[in-house]
Structure formats: C-alpha cells, structure tokens
Amino acid sequence: MGFCLVNNVAVAARYAQIERGLGRIAVVDFDVHHGNGTEDIFRGDGSVLYVSLHQWPFYPGTGGPGTSDDSTLNLPLPAGSRDVEYLSAFRDAVEPAVAAFEPDLVLVSAGFDAHVEDPLALMEVTTEGFRELARRCASLGPRVAAVLEGGYNLDTLPDLVATALEGFSG
Ligand SMILES: [Zn+2]
C-alpha cells in the first residue's frame, strides 16, 4: 500500500524457517494499522500465525470483524482505545491464540503509532502501555524478536522505543 517496500517481518519469518530450520512462527503486530501485506503473504499458511491489533475502521480498511481464520487473528479496536483495551485484548485473545499455536519463534511488528500523541491515528496507548505490551510479547514464545514499524511523532518516538526495549528485555 506504499508505506513499506519490503515486508521485513515476513522476510524474517521465511529466513527463520528456511535458513534456521524453525517450524512455526507467530507474528504479533501491534502497529495501529492492519498489516494487510503480512496477512496476504501468510493467509492459508498453517506454519505462520498472524495476529494483528489495529484501529478499525481505519486505513487501509482491511482487518475488520469476521476476517479471522486458521492462520489470521484480526483484533479490530475502536478509535480511542487505551492501555486497558489493548491489554485486555492481549490477555483474552492474543496470549491464548499464540500459546495454542506453540510457536518456535515470535516476531513482533512493533509499531508505535497507537501512542496517544501520534498524529496519524486516534488511539490513546501510553508510553507505559507500550512497556507492558512489549513485556507481554517477550513471554509469548521461546524466542522473540521485534521489528520497528510505524510511529510518526518524532519527538516521542525515541523514548517510546527505549521504553519498549526495556519491556522486551524484562
Ligand atoms: Zn502503522
């Protein structure tokens, strides 16, 4: 759709499978936009579970209610969602789905455009909320790696990423 020329997390997933011999990969995407490219690449592929939390309705318009299947879990959240909504969705949907999938590797599409001060979207996740999201991602599988995705407030992004890295490392 124009934001990304190469789907880094999809390349990483295939690299892990082909070059490192890992079998099952879960991609957890908390970027505020639905990852329509990632969904497209892996839909119907039982070796990769794609989980996305995103603002909906919102650009790019995909990932709405009723669009999940065996390889995709779409969790559309309304504009104005805060830490409590994200962490509830994580507890009630993301954690059970990833645990049931039993991934060898979890890749996180770590976008920060759901932050309350991001200019593109209308979510209200705080910096501490991202720390907790990262902390929970780190316990989703035996190996976890994250790729930086969206985030459009260059004044807040450095602190957000640093805080999330603290969360990832426990
Ligand atoms: Zn985004």
Side-chain angles (χ1 to χ4, degrees):
M1 299 289 283
F3 273 76
C4 308
L5 298 179
V6 175
N7 190 319
N8 298 309
V9 88
V11 172
R14 285 297 187 234
Y15 182 89
Q17 289 180 317
I18 295 167
E19 300 294 332
R20 297 300 179 93
L22 297 180
R24 300 163 71 78
I25 316 286
V27 176
V28 175
D29 181 344
F30 59 68
D31 187 282
V32 79
H33 300 95
H34 177 236
N36 57 338
T38 311
E39 177 187 82
D40 232 38
I41 289 166
F42 295 118
R43 188 178 280 281
D45 180 339
S47 71
V48 179
L49 174 68
Y50 177 60
V51 180
S52 178
L53 305 101
H54 46 270
Q55 183 178 322
W56 194 88
F58 194 52
Y59 180 92
T62 49
T67 58
S68 298
D69 63 15
D70 288 346
S71 60
T72 301
L73 177 59
N74 283 323
L75 300 166
L77 298 168
S81 292
R82 301 156 296 161
D83 295 355
V84 63
E85 283 82 16
Y86 269 81
L87 295 172
S88 295
F90 233 79
R91 183 194 61 222
D92 297 339
V94 177
E95 288 167 353
V98 174
F101 184 69
E102 298 183 338
D104 300 306
L105 170 68
V106 176
L107 295 171
V108 183
S109 280
F112 295 91
D113 40 9
H115 188 254
V116 61
E117 293 180 68
D118 193 275
L120 279 198
L122 299 170
M123 298 307 221
E124 298 180 5
V125 179
T126 67
T127 301
E128 285 307 307
F130 278 109
R131 182 199 302 275
E132 181 61 17
L133 281 175
R135 193 185 69 75
R136 295 199 190 183
C137 283
S139 58
L140 286 175
R143 306 172 186 83
V144 179
V147 173
L148 181 63
E149 305 277 10
Y152 303 94
N153 183 335
L154 299 184
D155 293 327
T156 59
L157 195 56
D159 185 48
L160 272 174
V161 173
T163 302
L165 287 172
E166 290 173 2
F168 279 120
S169 60

